[in-house]
């Protein structure tokens, strides 16, 4: 089983980062290996179902996930429904910070295919650094960073 957890400070408000991550239909525009994404049900609600096509080198797979948005708690939970995996869960948290917010991201996954699992295990840290970078770059395109005034 693969797993990754990271906490990253970003110069954006928690609500902005929540909105960015919640807008799953925009992922193909800024996450390199997401080729397509379609919200099947629940768009505009706190619970949606989405199909995503992911491609990396010779691999191309489709996934279906259930996404639960809890705006009040600042948490987004993703639960795997269908595709090439045995399991997939991920959780996003957005905590206030004087410099913007802390994005807490955790994922666990296991492929049914051993070859795909072996490739994923080798690339997990690099892949999630790239994923994190894609979200931060998109936040910079969409939002003004928090400006911290220096104390005199």
């Amino acid at each position: 089983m693969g797993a990754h957890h990271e906490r990253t400070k970003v110069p954006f408000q928690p609500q902005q980062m929540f909105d960015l991550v919640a807008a799953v239909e925009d992922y193909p525009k800024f996450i390199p290996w997401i080729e397509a994404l379609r919200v099947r049900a629940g768009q505009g609600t706190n619970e949606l179902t989405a199909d995503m096509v992911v491609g990396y080198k010779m691999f191309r797979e489709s996934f279906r996930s259930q996404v639960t948005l809890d705006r009040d708690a600042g948490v987004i939970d993703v639960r795997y429904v269908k595709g090439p995996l045995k399991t997939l869960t991920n959780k996003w948290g957005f905590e206030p910070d004087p410099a913007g917010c802390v994005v807490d991201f955790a994922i666990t996954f296991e492929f049914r295919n051993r070859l795909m699992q072996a490739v994923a295990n080798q690339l997990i840290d690099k892949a999630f650094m790239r994923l994190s970078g894609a979200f931060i770059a998109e936040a910079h395109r969409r939002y003004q960073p928090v400006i911290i005034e220096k104390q005199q």
Side-chain angles (χ1 to χ4, degrees):
M1 180 173 294
H4 181 81
H5 181 239
E6 68 180 49
R7 292 176 57 81
T8 307
K9 284 187 181 184
V10 296
F12 301 99
Q13 296 296 326
Q15 193 60 46
Q16 292 173 315
M17 294 307 293
F18 181 97
D19 290 343
L20 175 61
V21 174
V24 297
E25 65 279 359
D26 291 341
Y27 288 8
K29 296 175 187 173
F30 67 93
I31 299 176
W33 56 81
I34 297 182
E35 297 178 358
L37 193 142
R38 185 180 89 172
V39 176
R40 298 181 54 84
Q43 184 133 15
T45 68
N46 292 335
E47 194 138 326
L48 56 99
T49 302
D51 288 342
M52 179 170 51
V53 177
V54 175
Y56 180 77
K57 296 191 179 189
M58 65 182 172
F59 299 104
R60 187 168 193 263
E61 294 291 344
S62 297
F63 301 82
R64 179 168 296 156
S65 297
Q66 185 73 36
V67 181
T68 303
L69 309 169
D70 187 340
R71 192 171 298 279
D72 293 335
V75 173
I76 297 174
D77 282 306
V78 180
R79 184 180 54 81
Y80 176 72
V81 176
K82 176 176 137 182
L85 299 166
K86 285 184 183 178
T87 62
L88 169 70
T89 60
N90 69 49
K91 185 173 188 169
W92 295 85
F94 309 93
E95 304 165 13
D97 182 85
C101 82
V102 174
V103 177
D104 187 290
F105 176 74
I107 185 168
T108 59
F109 62 92
E110 185 174 5
F111 282 91
R112 287 188 177 99
N113 179 304
R114 287 183 185 177
L115 175 61
M116 290 184 76
Q117 186 67 44
V119 169
N121 286 344
Q122 289 178 354
L123 300 173
I124 188 167
D125 290 334
K126 185 177 178 182
F128 288 106
M129 277 183 45
R130 193 167 178 202
L131 176 69
S132 178
F135 276 101
I136 292 168
E138 184 64 16
H140 277 283
R141 281 190 285 277
R142 291 183 185 204
Y143 309 120
Q144 279 289 96
V146 171
I147 307 238
I148 300 173
E149 295 184 27
K150 292 183 179 182
Q151 300 289 327
Q152 292 190 17

